[in-house]
Amino acid sequence: MMRRFLWLVAALCVLLWLPGWAAAQGDIYEYATEWGGYGSAIGRFLWPAGIAVGPDGYIYVGDTYNSRVQVFDRDGVFMRQIGSIQGGSGEGQLYLPSGVAVAANGEVYIADTQNHRVQVFSPDSVFARLWGGSGNEAGLFNEPMGIAIGPGDLVYVADSHNDRIQVFTRQGYFVRMWGTRGTGDTGFYWPSGVAVAANGDVYVSDTENHRIQVFDAEGQRVWMWGVRGAGNGQFGRPAGIEMRADGTLFVADQDNNRIQYFSANGTFRGTFGGAGFGPGELDRPADVALGADGRVYVVDTWNHRVVVFAPKARWPVHLPLALK
Protein backbone atom coordinates (compact mmCIF):
# COMPACT_ATOMS: atom_id res chain seq x y z
CA MET A 1 0.00 0.00 0.00
CA MET A 2 2.78 2.42 0.98
CA ARG A 3 4.68 1.62 -2.25
CA ARG A 4 1.64 2.41 -4.35
CA PHE A 5 1.16 5.69 -2.45
CA LEU A 6 4.78 6.71 -3.14
CA TRP A 7 4.36 5.91 -6.83
CA LEU A 8 1.25 8.11 -6.91
CA VAL A 9 3.08 11.02 -5.26
CA ALA A 10 5.98 10.68 -7.71
CA ALA A 11 3.64 10.61 -10.71
CA LEU A 12 1.77 13.70 -9.53
CA CYS A 13 5.06 15.56 -9.06
CA VAL A 14 6.08 14.73 -12.65
CA LEU A 15 2.73 15.91 -13.98
CA LEU A 16 3.05 19.20 -12.11
CA TRP A 17 6.71 19.73 -13.08
CA LEU A 18 6.58 18.96 -16.80
CA PRO A 19 4.47 21.94 -17.97
CA GLY A 20 6.76 24.40 -16.21
CA TRP A 21 9.83 22.68 -17.65
CA ALA A 22 8.33 22.76 -21.14
CA ALA A 23 7.46 26.44 -20.86
CA ALA A 24 10.99 27.23 -19.68
CA GLN A 25 12.58 25.29 -22.50
CA GLY A 26 10.30 26.55 -25.27
CA ASP A 27 9.33 24.52 -28.29
CA ILE A 28 11.70 21.85 -29.54
CA TYR A 29 12.36 21.56 -33.28
CA GLU A 30 13.72 18.65 -35.26
CA TYR A 31 14.82 18.11 -38.85
CA ALA A 32 11.93 17.27 -41.19
CA THR A 33 13.12 17.49 -44.80
CA GLU A 34 15.13 19.54 -47.30
CA TRP A 35 15.34 20.32 -50.99
CA GLY A 36 17.58 22.11 -53.45
CA GLY A 37 21.29 21.80 -54.10
CA TYR A 38 23.92 23.79 -55.96
CA GLY A 39 23.00 24.84 -59.50
CA SER A 40 20.76 26.85 -61.80
CA ALA A 41 18.32 24.16 -62.89
CA ILE A 42 14.73 24.36 -61.69
CA GLY A 43 14.60 23.50 -57.99
CA ARG A 44 18.27 24.25 -57.39
CA PHE A 45 19.84 27.34 -55.84
CA LEU A 46 22.88 29.59 -55.84
CA TRP A 47 23.38 31.24 -52.43
CA PRO A 48 19.68 31.78 -51.65
CA ALA A 49 19.17 34.65 -49.19
CA GLY A 50 15.42 35.08 -48.66
CA ILE A 51 12.36 32.98 -47.87
CA ALA A 52 8.68 33.55 -47.11
CA VAL A 53 5.50 31.48 -46.76
CA GLY A 54 2.39 32.72 -48.56
CA PRO A 55 -1.23 32.48 -47.41
CA ASP A 56 -1.62 29.56 -49.82
CA GLY A 57 1.14 27.68 -47.96
CA TYR A 58 3.56 27.99 -50.87
CA ILE A 59 7.23 28.65 -50.11
CA TYR A 60 8.89 31.61 -51.88
CA VAL A 61 12.70 31.43 -52.05
CA GLY A 62 14.94 34.34 -53.00
CA ASP A 63 17.38 32.41 -55.20
CA THR A 64 19.85 35.26 -55.07
CA TYR A 65 22.68 34.41 -57.46
CA ASN A 66 20.23 32.94 -59.96
CA SER A 67 18.40 36.32 -59.96
CA ARG A 68 15.00 34.75 -59.41
CA VAL A 69 12.43 33.78 -56.82
CA GLN A 70 11.35 30.15 -56.95
CA VAL A 71 7.99 29.00 -55.60
CA PHE A 72 7.39 25.54 -54.09
CA ASP A 73 4.65 23.70 -52.28
CA ARG A 74 5.28 22.71 -48.66
CA ASP A 75 6.91 19.45 -49.76
CA GLY A 76 9.44 21.15 -52.03
CA VAL A 77 7.68 20.50 -55.35
CA PHE A 78 8.48 23.31 -57.79
CA MET A 79 5.47 25.39 -58.85
CA ARG A 80 6.77 28.44 -60.75
CA GLN A 81 9.38 31.20 -60.69
CA ILE A 82 9.67 34.97 -60.86
CA GLY A 83 12.62 36.35 -62.83
CA SER A 84 15.24 34.29 -64.64
CA ILE A 85 18.85 33.25 -64.33
CA GLN A 86 19.81 35.89 -66.92
CA GLY A 87 18.79 38.64 -64.51
CA GLY A 88 18.08 42.18 -65.66
CA SER A 89 16.81 45.62 -64.72
CA GLY A 90 13.54 45.78 -66.65
CA GLU A 91 10.09 45.47 -65.13
CA GLY A 92 9.68 41.98 -63.72
CA GLN A 93 13.40 41.25 -63.99
CA LEU A 94 15.53 40.74 -60.88
CA TYR A 95 19.20 41.16 -60.09
CA LEU A 96 20.47 39.37 -56.99
CA PRO A 97 17.17 39.54 -55.05
CA SER A 98 17.14 38.67 -51.36
CA GLY A 99 14.18 39.28 -49.00
CA VAL A 100 10.65 38.21 -49.92
CA ALA A 101 7.31 39.00 -48.25
CA VAL A 102 3.83 37.81 -49.22
CA ALA A 103 0.72 39.84 -48.33
CA ALA A 104 -2.56 38.33 -47.14
CA ASN A 105 -4.01 38.83 -50.63
CA GLY A 106 -1.13 36.85 -52.16
CA GLU A 107 0.83 39.77 -53.61
CA VAL A 108 4.58 39.08 -53.57
CA TYR A 109 7.02 41.82 -52.49
CA ILE A 110 10.68 41.31 -53.40
CA ALA A 111 13.75 43.23 -52.28
CA ASP A 112 15.44 43.46 -55.70
CA THR A 113 18.77 44.08 -54.02
CA GLN A 114 21.23 44.99 -56.76
CA ASN A 115 18.57 46.90 -58.71
CA HIS A 116 18.06 48.95 -55.51
CA ARG A 117 14.28 48.69 -55.59
CA VAL A 118 11.19 46.82 -54.46
CA GLN A 119 9.14 44.91 -57.02
CA VAL A 120 5.60 43.64 -56.51
CA PHE A 121 3.97 40.71 -58.31
CA SER A 122 0.43 39.36 -58.40
CA PRO A 123 -0.40 36.03 -56.71
CA ASP A 124 0.18 34.28 -60.05
CA SER A 125 3.60 35.97 -60.43
CA VAL A 126 2.69 38.68 -62.95
CA PHE A 127 4.55 41.98 -62.54
CA ALA A 128 2.39 44.64 -60.85
CA ARG A 129 4.55 47.64 -59.87
CA LEU A 130 7.89 48.77 -58.48
CA TRP A 131 9.46 51.65 -56.60
CA GLY A 132 12.88 52.83 -55.53
CA GLY A 133 16.15 53.30 -57.35
CA SER A 134 19.75 53.82 -56.30
CA GLY A 135 20.43 56.59 -53.82
CA ASN A 136 20.24 57.76 -50.22
CA GLU A 137 17.26 60.12 -50.40
CA ALA A 138 13.87 59.12 -49.00
CA GLY A 139 12.33 56.38 -51.13
CA LEU A 140 15.63 55.36 -52.73
CA PHE A 141 17.76 52.38 -51.71
CA ASN A 142 21.29 51.08 -51.48
CA GLU A 143 21.11 47.27 -51.57
CA PRO A 144 17.83 46.65 -49.72
CA MET A 145 17.68 43.15 -48.23
CA GLY A 146 14.97 42.51 -45.65
CA ILE A 147 11.28 43.22 -46.30
CA ALA A 148 8.14 42.71 -44.23
CA ILE A 149 4.46 43.67 -44.28
CA GLY A 150 3.05 45.06 -41.04
CA PRO A 151 -0.25 46.30 -39.60
CA GLY A 152 -2.04 48.83 -41.73
CA ASP A 153 -0.63 47.21 -44.87
CA LEU A 154 2.63 49.08 -44.48
CA VAL A 155 5.77 47.70 -46.11
CA TYR A 156 9.01 47.81 -44.09
CA VAL A 157 12.33 47.62 -45.94
CA ALA A 158 15.79 47.08 -44.44
CA ASP A 159 17.74 49.52 -46.64
CA SER A 160 20.94 47.74 -45.76
CA HIS A 161 23.79 49.78 -47.19
CA ASN A 162 22.04 53.02 -46.23
CA ASP A 163 21.86 51.70 -42.65
CA ARG A 164 18.20 52.52 -42.16
CA ILE A 165 14.63 51.25 -42.19
CA GLN A 166 12.18 52.75 -44.69
CA VAL A 167 8.39 52.40 -44.50
CA PHE A 168 5.99 52.60 -47.44
CA THR A 169 2.38 51.99 -48.30
CA ARG A 170 1.76 48.89 -50.38
CA GLN A 171 1.50 51.15 -53.42
CA GLY A 172 5.05 52.38 -52.79
CA TYR A 173 4.38 55.80 -51.27
CA PHE A 174 7.02 56.81 -48.74
CA VAL A 175 5.80 57.08 -45.12
CA ARG A 176 8.83 57.42 -42.84
CA MET A 177 12.37 56.24 -42.20
CA TRP A 178 14.88 56.04 -39.39
CA GLY A 179 18.47 55.02 -38.76
CA THR A 180 22.02 55.97 -39.59
CA ARG A 181 25.42 54.27 -39.42
CA GLY A 182 26.44 53.75 -35.80
CA THR A 183 26.09 51.75 -32.60
CA GLY A 184 23.84 54.03 -30.54
CA ASP A 185 20.05 54.12 -30.06
CA THR A 186 19.34 54.99 -33.70
CA GLY A 187 22.45 53.40 -35.16
CA PHE A 188 22.62 50.44 -37.57
CA TYR A 189 25.46 48.69 -39.26
CA TRP A 190 24.10 46.83 -42.29
CA PRO A 191 20.58 45.92 -41.07
CA SER A 192 19.41 42.96 -43.14
CA GLY A 193 16.22 41.62 -41.57
CA VAL A 194 12.95 43.16 -40.41
CA ALA A 195 9.77 41.80 -38.79
CA VAL A 196 6.70 43.59 -37.43
CA ALA A 197 4.65 42.54 -34.40
CA ALA A 198 0.87 42.74 -34.27
CA ASN A 199 1.11 45.84 -32.04
CA GLY A 200 3.28 47.62 -34.62
CA ASP A 201 6.65 47.17 -32.90
CA VAL A 202 9.41 46.76 -35.47
CA TYR A 203 12.20 44.20 -34.93
CA VAL A 204 15.43 44.71 -36.88
CA SER A 205 18.44 42.43 -37.19
CA ASP A 206 21.30 44.90 -36.88
CA THR A 207 23.67 42.51 -38.61
CA GLU A 208 27.16 43.92 -38.22
CA ASN A 209 26.34 45.19 -34.71
CA HIS A 210 25.40 41.59 -33.80
CA ARG A 211 22.14 42.51 -32.11
CA ILE A 212 18.36 42.76 -32.45
CA GLN A 213 16.83 46.22 -32.06
CA VAL A 214 13.16 46.90 -31.35
CA PHE A 215 11.35 50.13 -32.28
CA ASP A 216 7.83 51.41 -31.91
CA ALA A 217 5.76 52.13 -34.99
CA GLU A 218 7.21 55.65 -35.24
CA GLY A 219 10.82 54.45 -35.18
CA GLN A 220 11.65 55.22 -31.54
CA ARG A 221 13.89 52.53 -30.04
CA VAL A 222 12.24 50.52 -27.29
CA TRP A 223 14.99 48.06 -26.41
CA MET A 224 17.65 45.80 -27.87
CA TRP A 225 19.51 42.61 -27.04
CA GLY A 226 22.51 40.65 -28.20
CA VAL A 227 26.27 40.97 -28.47
CA ARG A 228 28.79 39.20 -30.64
CA GLY A 229 29.36 35.63 -29.51
CA ALA A 230 28.21 32.02 -29.73
CA GLY A 231 26.31 31.66 -26.45
CA ASN A 232 22.55 31.59 -26.06
CA GLY A 233 21.21 35.02 -26.95
CA GLN A 234 24.47 36.08 -28.59
CA PHE A 235 24.83 36.49 -32.33
CA GLY A 236 27.24 36.16 -35.21
CA ARG A 237 25.88 38.52 -37.88
CA PRO A 238 22.15 37.86 -37.46
CA ALA A 239 20.25 38.15 -40.74
CA GLY A 240 16.65 37.28 -41.62
CA ILE A 241 14.03 37.28 -38.86
CA GLU A 242 10.39 36.22 -38.62
CA MET A 243 7.79 36.63 -35.90
CA ARG A 244 5.14 34.06 -35.02
CA ALA A 245 1.61 35.19 -34.13
CA ASP A 246 2.31 34.59 -30.42
CA GLY A 247 5.28 36.98 -30.52
CA THR A 248 8.05 34.39 -30.76
CA LEU A 249 10.90 35.80 -32.86
CA PHE A 250 13.05 33.46 -34.98
CA VAL A 251 16.52 34.70 -35.96
CA ALA A 252 18.84 33.33 -38.65
CA ASP A 253 22.12 33.51 -36.71
CA GLN A 254 24.39 33.30 -39.76
CA ASP A 255 27.93 32.90 -38.50
CA ASN A 256 26.82 30.58 -35.69
CA ASN A 257 25.08 28.34 -38.25
CA ARG A 258 21.84 28.11 -36.29
CA ILE A 259 18.37 29.46 -35.71
CA GLN A 260 17.67 31.06 -32.35
CA TYR A 261 14.21 31.95 -31.10
CA PHE A 262 13.09 34.35 -28.41
CA SER A 263 10.01 35.69 -26.70
CA ALA A 264 8.91 39.15 -27.82
CA ASN A 265 10.87 40.76 -24.97
CA GLY A 266 14.12 39.07 -26.03
CA THR A 267 14.11 36.16 -23.57
CA PHE A 268 15.99 33.23 -25.08
CA ARG A 269 13.75 30.21 -25.72
CA GLY A 270 15.77 27.79 -27.81
CA THR A 271 18.01 27.05 -30.76
CA PHE A 272 18.45 24.44 -33.49
CA GLY A 273 20.76 23.73 -36.40
CA GLY A 274 24.52 23.57 -36.08
CA ALA A 275 27.45 23.77 -38.48
CA GLY A 276 27.65 21.22 -41.29
CA PHE A 277 25.98 19.92 -44.42
CA GLY A 278 24.18 16.87 -43.04
CA PRO A 279 20.44 16.61 -42.29
CA GLY A 280 19.42 19.45 -39.99
CA GLU A 281 22.83 21.14 -40.17
CA LEU A 282 23.36 24.62 -41.58
CA ASP A 283 26.06 26.69 -43.24
CA ARG A 284 25.46 30.42 -42.82
CA PRO A 285 21.65 30.49 -43.01
CA ALA A 286 20.41 33.86 -44.24
CA ASP A 287 16.67 33.81 -43.60
CA VAL A 288 13.84 31.98 -41.88
CA ALA A 289 10.08 31.69 -42.50
CA LEU A 290 7.19 30.12 -40.59
CA GLY A 291 4.41 27.90 -41.87
CA ALA A 292 0.87 27.85 -40.48
CA ASP A 293 1.45 24.20 -39.52
CA GLY A 294 4.33 25.17 -37.20
CA ARG A 295 7.10 24.23 -39.61
CA VAL A 296 10.19 26.45 -39.81
CA TYR A 297 11.73 26.95 -43.27
CA VAL A 298 15.39 28.01 -43.45
CA VAL A 299 17.44 29.11 -46.45
CA ASP A 300 20.70 27.27 -45.82
CA THR A 301 22.65 29.69 -47.96
CA TRP A 302 26.09 28.15 -48.33
CA ASN A 303 24.61 24.66 -48.65
CA HIS A 304 22.37 26.01 -51.45
CA ARG A 305 19.18 24.46 -50.11
CA VAL A 306 16.04 24.89 -48.02
CA VAL A 307 16.00 22.97 -44.73
CA VAL A 308 12.71 22.37 -42.94
CA PHE A 309 12.29 21.84 -39.20
CA ALA A 310 9.10 20.76 -37.44
CA PRO A 311 7.98 21.01 -33.81
CA LYS A 312 8.91 17.89 -31.93
CA ALA A 313 6.05 16.08 -30.20
CA ARG A 314 6.17 16.24 -26.42
CA TRP A 315 7.00 13.03 -24.63
CA PRO A 316 3.77 11.55 -23.21
CA VAL A 317 3.65 11.04 -19.48
CA HIS A 318 2.98 7.39 -18.64
CA LEU A 319 1.82 6.40 -15.21
CA PRO A 320 3.66 3.52 -13.55
CA LEU A 321 2.09 0.13 -14.12
CA ALA A 322 1.36 -0.13 -10.41
CA LEU A 323 -1.12 2.75 -10.72
CA LYS A 324 -3.01 1.37 -13.71
Side-chain angles (χ1 to χ4, degrees):
M1 186 70 178
M2 179 59 69
R3 182 178 179 183
R4 183 176 181 183
F5 174 76
L6 292 175
W7 272 111
L8 179 60
V9 171
L12 288 174
C13 288
V14 169
L15 288 171
L16 291 171
W17 173 75
L18 272 176
W21 179 88
Q25 296 298 311
D27 298 326
I28 300 172
Y29 291 88
E30 60 184 354
Y31 170 80
T33 188
E34 66 184 68
W35 68 82
Y38 179 88
S40 298
I42 291 298
R44 291 188 171 270
F45 306 111
L46 288 180
W47 291 279
I51 193 165
V53 179
D56 53 7
Y58 285 176
I59 317 303
Y60 295 74
V61 181
D63 185 10
T64 303
Y65 278 80
N66 279 321
S67 292
R68 64 187 177 186
V69 170
Q70 295 196 66
V71 187
F72 303 86
D73 71 12
R74 68 186 300 274
D75 297 313
V77 176
F78 174 82
M79 306 303 293
R80 59 183 178 271
Q81 73 176 28
I82 299 170
S84 68
I85 59 175
Q86 289 77 28
S89 58
E91 292 183 351
Q93 296 179 319
L94 305 171
Y95 185 35
L96 304 187
S98 48
V100 185
V102 187
N105 69 349
E107 280 193 327
V108 182
Y109 293 72
I110 300 173
D112 189 6
T113 303
Q114 290 298 326
N115 281 325
H116 311 286
R117 63 188 182 184
V118 170
Q119 291 205 65
V120 186
F121 295 82
S122 70
D124 53 357
S125 302
V126 175
F127 170 80
R129 58 190 176 277
L130 62 80
W131 69 84
S134 180
N136 58 15
E137 297 176 0
L140 300 179
F141 302 109
N142 191 347
E143 299 185 11
M145 296 188 70
I147 189 167
I149 299 171
D153 281 342
L154 294 176
V155 180
Y156 295 76
V157 182
D159 186 8
S160 299
H161 212 171
N162 279 327
D163 298 299
R164 64 188 181 186
I165 300 297
Q166 294 202 65
V167 187
F168 303 86
T169 69
R170 282 177 48 183
Q171 296 303 313
Y173 296 106
F174 174 80
V175 176
R176 70 180 70 93
M177 66 181 179
W178 67 87
T180 186
R181 173 66 65 89
T183 60
D185 287 355
T186 60
F188 295 119
Y189 189 4
W190 199 270
S192 62
V194 60
V196 188
N199 69 352
D201 283 347
V202 182
Y203 291 70
V204 180
S205 57
D206 188 5
T207 302
E208 297 296 339
N209 280 327
H210 311 282
R211 63 186 181 182
I212 301 296
Q213 294 203 62
V214 187
F215 302 84
D216 66 18
E218 299 302 317
Q220 298 299 309
R221 194 169 85 163
V222 180
W223 71 85
M224 57 81 67
W225 75 89
V227 295
R228 186 169 193 169
N232 293 340
Q234 299 177 333
F235 300 108
R237 300 178 64 247
I241 56 178
E242 178 85 354
M243 178 164 277
R244 200 164 61 189
D246 66 357
T248 303
L249 185 75
F250 291 74
V251 181
D253 188 8
Q254 282 186 116
D255 288 355
N256 288 320
N257 303 300
R258 64 186 178 182
I259 304 299
Q260 293 195 72
Y261 50 106
F262 303 83
S263 62
N265 65 5
T267 301
F268 173 79
R269 295 191 60 196
T271 184
F272 53 90
F277 54 84
E281 296 176 331
L282 304 171
D283 190 353
R284 279 169 270 190
D287 202 5
V288 58
L290 308 175
D293 58 358
R295 285 184 162 197
V296 180
Y297 297 84
V298 180
V299 278
D300 186 12
T301 303
W302 284 63
N303 282 326
H304 311 281
R305 64 185 179 181
V306 172
V307 181
V308 186
F309 297 86
K312 187 174 183 180
R314 298 290 186 190
W315 288 355
V317 177
H318 297 289
L319 294 176
L321 292 176
L323 297 179
K324 294 182 177 179

